[in-house]
Amino acid sequence: MKIHSSDHPWLLLAILVILLSFSGALSSDEDEKKTSHKKKEVTYDGTSLIINGNRELIYSGSIHYPRSTPEMWPSIIKKAKHGGLNTIQTYVFWNLHEPEQGKFNFSGRTDLVKFIKLIEKNGMYVTLRLGPFIQAEWTHGGLPYWLREIPGIFFRTDNEPFKKHTEKYVKVVLDLMKENKLFASQGGPIILGQIENEYSAVQRAYKEDGLNYIKWASKLVHSMDLGIPWVMCKQNDAPDPMINACNGRHCGDTFPGPNKDNKPSLWTENWTTQFRVFGDPPAKRSAEDIAYSVARFFSKNGSHVNYYMYHGGTNFGRTSAHYVTTRYYDDAPLDEYGLEREPTYGHLKHLHNALNLCKKALLWGQSRTEKPGKDTEIRHYEQPGTNVCAAFLANNNTESAEKIKFKGKEYVIPARSISILPDCKNVVYNTAEIISHHTARNFMKSKKANKNFNFKVFTETVPSKLDGDNYVPVELYGLTKDESDYGWYTTSFKIDDNDLSKKKAKHTLRIASLGHVLHVWLNGEYLGSGHGSHDEKSFVFQKKITLKEGENHLTMLGVITGFPDSGSYLEHRYTGPRSISILGLSSGTLDLTEESKWGNKLGMEGEKLDIHTKKGSKKVEWQKLSGKTPGLTWYQTYFNAPESQSAAAIRMNGMGKGLIWVNGEGVGRYWMSFLSPLGNPTQIEYHIPRSFLKPKKNFLVIFEEEPNVKPELIDFVIVNRDTVCSYIGEEYTPSVRHWTRKNNEVQAITDDVFLTASLKCSGTKKIAAVEFASFGNPNGTCGNFTRGSCHAPQSKKVIEKFCLGKAECELPVNKDTFLQDKKDSCPKVAKKLAVQVKCGRPKKN
């Protein structure tokens, strides 16, 4: 049926897009039913992975099951699929599954089988990254602590104890997958596996043993004959038949390619942002840059990309690596709360659609490259004897647009961008032109949760003398054994009258520490604290002190913020106080490091009694909060769940550093007193999953290390992305949604392809208000738009007419829509449309 344009062509287009999407969903569901239990052969060649004889373009995203809750998994996976992904990649976290040697756990947030079956239910593939080492900004890189105490062990090298325990772990996981028929060869979704992780970063340290180790690891997984290919990322010398793969931001330019012609180009980690550590300022990667990198990789024979991360989630409890924030990869396409972060989410979805239109040419065509100019490049694929053709026109000039002539037609390519032509004629997508809507995240103070906080407190006793006869301070990782963040050190020393004879003598305590944090007391008086950072873990605590004649007591509390997660010889990484001395004595410097006996104790009393739980909290006497409190204080109160079912968080304003629990569940580490160079805490809000909450009387427990905090400033917030925007130039390429492939040809869905802006609310919400609208040359970003010197006065009325009261709307971006009086007061200005609306639920009568 031919579709004719009318007075409202965009309405017809919207209806057609919905119908086609619905049709595609039905088709996908039918395909899933047909293939869900059908055995699939997975092979590869120099072009791509081949699944059941069909070449595939793989769009994958990293989603880690323990960084969200099982209740969140279905929504996150569905959103990933809706974003155009066909594969989910996850690490397997050894230290979660085997926290004690020989005792495995695959339940709750560690239910790997359930997670994979949910992915399968959505008709998607899985890539399983086994480790044993994963890094992942996860404590100890995923290796269980008990491995450090195996006699004669060296991690990640040709070491028999390490290989013995690694082999046992790998076989437990892979046997579990096999038992549940999760490999593609059994009809399951796992099409690809990875052993080890970025090993080339440490291989030189182990010399020949390093090479032997990767050969051993390769043989281990291949010997199990599971019917899937295996990869090693950032491992250019990966032994056959292992596929070497790329990690980085721009693998289209940095990857030297597979080490054999019969292996495909796979990108296992495209870093969507920068993970954050405490003390960091904000850092983001633009949607345009991510899209450019992916388009470039696929234009250069790439056939697989994985976004690391697609959803980062939360480092609950004490699971993050040293100094890493509780919030993980929040600027990924799905943010910490599982909300679509626009425009990244939508811009990449459109990119996947554009690449799919090129699929036949990319996988079966012959490639050719041309360099028409210094900064321009044409890469195109054609299948001889057919009309199958796709082209990527690249402009690497970072400052200005360039013109490219291709097949007799001239194209204008914006600065540092790639235009995709799936038929070598029509541009359906440009990496620098964002058609997707934008969102700004809001943290709204809860009305229900922030009522009548009646804090009670319990303060830890600071020991002055502990049992022990160590002649040096015990190494802190070994003292805590990953059972606590805290380890106590005490020693005593005598000062005679001669050292105090000078009335004006000034004495100084100096403690050199390898990290991470140190609190110090002398004779029961708190002297203060010091800390390192992710990049400079070592620090020196130095303080003027007052000594007394006779015996003096020094107490230190060493604090870790997670185990290290990278580098060679991880089993020999140390932290904690290393050199302690007193300066300024008449007799000279007193070195306490090796001249005193040291007592030690693991953890807090409150930890041992589990006072973060309702049952355990009854084991101590709590006092009503009154006035200022010392450090090492536990706080407890009750709160009602925040209203609605939107994501929830606690803002730790007024606090210093410590840990949070809600109803016994570990929310994570917070650190408000470690400010970034911009003068702000790196993270203020801490995610509380809805599954942690009850409707009323939720039990909140906080352990705070620092004195004189203000818990009354803490509040609970609900999180949404109800601020929705569009920012589009009238010269932009119309959305790829206008195009489809039919009978081996790329065709427009309608006769009239034109540029539209779209606005869409989440869930059941509708557009309740138009907060900003300007067609002209507006400035700013979503949440912070301002008018420019050129503005169409009817802009806001037009948007209200099209969009108010609707869950989503589309409107043409052209002069006819906004210059209704046909008068253009700034005809020489290239127009842009900026719109900001607020979404909400209709008020009940």
Side-chain angles (χ1 to χ4, degrees), residues 481-761:
K481 301 183 188 298
D482 202 23
E483 296 175 10
S484 170
D485 281 357
Y486 305 103
W488 289 102
Y489 301 82
T490 64
T491 193
S492 300
F493 57 95
K494 289 185 177 180
I495 297 293
D496 61 30
D497 185 55
N498 292 330
D499 281 320
L500 300 175
S501 60
K502 297 180 181 178
K503 292 183 179 180
K504 294 185 179 180
K506 293 181 179 179
H507 305 119
T508 299
L509 172 66
R510 177 185 290 171
I511 305 171
S513 175
L514 297 178
H516 302 161
V517 180
L518 194 69
H519 296 275
V520 185
W521 293 259
L522 181 65
N523 296 325
E525 178 188 354
Y526 183 59
L527 298 184
S529 65
H531 65 81
S533 68
H534 185 267
D535 294 332
E536 294 289 341
K537 297 162 192 65
S538 299
F539 63 93
V540 174
F541 174 88
Q542 190 161 297
K543 183 97 175 188
K544 297 291 182 184
I545 57 173
T546 300
L547 297 169
K548 65 179 182 179
E549 185 179 357
E551 192 168 63
N552 290 258
H553 301 284
L554 176 67
T555 302
M556 302 183 296
L557 178 65
V559 186
I560 62 172
T561 59
F563 278 61
D565 68 327
S566 62
S568 57
Y569 297 101
L570 204 59
E571 72 286 346
H572 289 106
R573 213 67 62 80
Y574 303 124
T575 196
R578 306 306 295 163
S579 174
I580 302 96
S581 56
I582 295 180
L583 314 178
L585 299 173
S586 297
S587 57
T589 297
L590 174 61
D591 185 352
L592 298 177
T593 314
E594 297 184 8
E595 296 182 14
S596 297
K597 288 187 178 182
W598 291 90
N600 298 102
K601 188 174 75 167
L602 166 67
M604 298 289 130
E605 285 303 309
E607 289 179 294
K608 295 172 184 175
L609 297 173
D610 291 328
I611 66 173
H612 64 279
T613 66
K614 283 288 292 293
K615 183 179 179 181
S617 69
K618 297 174 182 176
K619 298 176 182 178
V620 300
E621 290 291 328
W622 295 83
Q623 306 295 322
K624 186 177 180 180
L625 174 62
S626 177
K628 293 183 178 180
T629 53
L632 308 187
T633 294
W634 297 80
Y635 298 79
Q636 65 146 282
T637 191
Y638 290 88
F639 67 98
N640 292 332
E643 58 273 24
S644 82
Q645 285 303 306
S646 298
I650 182 172
R651 287 194 293 206
M652 299 302 289
N653 294 312
M655 303 303 282
K657 178 185 179 298
L659 293 155
I660 310 165
W661 293 265
V662 171
N663 294 326
E665 297 281 0
V667 170
R669 297 185 180 100
Y670 68 90
W671 200 347
M672 299 291 287
S673 58
F674 192 170
L675 304 181
S676 79
L678 301 181
N680 302 312
T682 300
Q683 183 178 344
I684 297 171
E685 306 88 8
Y686 291 80
H687 179 209
I688 305 175
R690 284 284 172 176
S691 60
F692 286 13
L693 297 172
K694 303 179 297 184
K696 293 182 178 180
K697 291 208 73 175
N698 293 284
F699 188 49
L700 171 68
V701 176
I702 298 166
F703 177 65
E704 170 61 58
E705 297 174 24
E706 300 179 5
N708 304 323
V709 296
K710 298 178 179 179
E712 66 273 14
L713 298 181
I714 290 171
D715 62 4
F716 294 90
V717 292
I718 52 178
V719 188
N720 64 52
R721 287 189 176 270
D722 288 347
T723 301
V724 180
C725 306
S726 185
Y727 187 71
I728 294 179
E730 63 177 339
E731 78 284 1
Y732 281 15
T733 302
S735 174
V736 66
R737 291 180 300 165
H738 290 271
W739 301 89
T740 187
R741 178 175 284 279
K742 188 175 181 182
N743 299 326
N744 289 330
E745 288 188 5
V746 175
Q747 300 176 0
I749 293 173
T750 64
D751 287 350
D752 201 4
V753 175
F754 52 90
L755 180 64
T756 59
S758 64
L759 299 164
K760 183 179 180 181
C761 298

Side-chain angles (χ1 to χ4, degrees), residues 113-280:
V113 170
K114 180 177 180 179
F115 181 69
I116 292 175
K117 285 186 175 180
L118 279 171
I119 298 169
E120 180 181 30
K121 185 178 178 182
N122 281 271
M124 303 174 77
Y125 299 128
V126 172
T127 297
L128 203 62
R129 305 176 82 184
L130 279 177
F133 168 82
I134 60 172
Q135 188 164 344
E137 292 71 58
W138 190 264
T139 190
H140 217 209
L143 298 171
Y145 173 79
W146 55 262
L147 270 181
R148 292 172 70 102
E149 299 191 341
I150 299 296
I153 199 165
F154 287 89
F155 296 169
R156 305 178 70 200
T157 186
D158 192 12
N159 171 267
E160 290 306 318
F162 183 70
K163 291 192 299 183
K164 171 188 169 184
H165 291 286
T166 294
E167 182 172 355
K168 179 183 175 184
Y169 153 72
V170 165
K171 287 186 174 179
V172 166
V173 174
L174 295 182
D175 284 346
L176 181 66
M177 300 299 102
K178 192 172 181 180
E179 178 186 328
N180 285 275
K181 300 187 184 308
L182 295 178
F183 291 105
S185 56
Q186 301 172 293
I190 301 174
I191 60 167
L192 199 63
Q194 178 181 304
I195 187 75
E196 256 299 337
N197 189 64
E198 297 186 345
Y199 191 73
S200 63
V202 299
Q203 186 171 335
R204 284 188 180 181
Y206 300 110
K207 301 179 181 177
E208 190 67 24
D209 284 344
L211 182 60
N212 292 336
Y213 170 67
I214 62 165
K215 289 178 179 178
W216 171 84
S218 176
K219 288 178 181 176
L220 171 64
V221 291
H222 282 112
S223 68
M224 296 186 71
D225 194 23
L226 298 167
I228 61 169
W230 289 85
V231 301
M232 283 183 172
C233 62
K234 291 186 80 169
Q235 189 65 41
N236 292 336
D237 62 350
D240 292 336
M242 193 70 65
I243 304 169
N244 59 303
C246 185
N247 288 2
R249 290 193 175 204
H250 295 284
C251 284
D253 292 308
T254 60
F255 186 43
N259 59 16
K260 290 288 177 65
D261 290 342
N262 67 333
K263 299 178 184 180
S265 288
L266 309 182
W267 191 351
T268 38
E269 289 187 20
N270 182 357
W271 304 323
T272 54
T273 183
Q274 176 63 43
F275 72 88
R276 307 283 294 285
V277 297
F278 288 111
D280 268 355

Side-chain angles (χ1 to χ4, degrees), residues 72 311 327 335-339 441 443 647-649 685 687 719:
M72 294 173 66
H311 164 68
R327 172 179 288 161
D335 70 12
E336 179 186 15
Y337 306 93
L339 304 175
R441 188 167 61 190
F443 294 94
E685 306 88 8
H687 179 209
V719 188

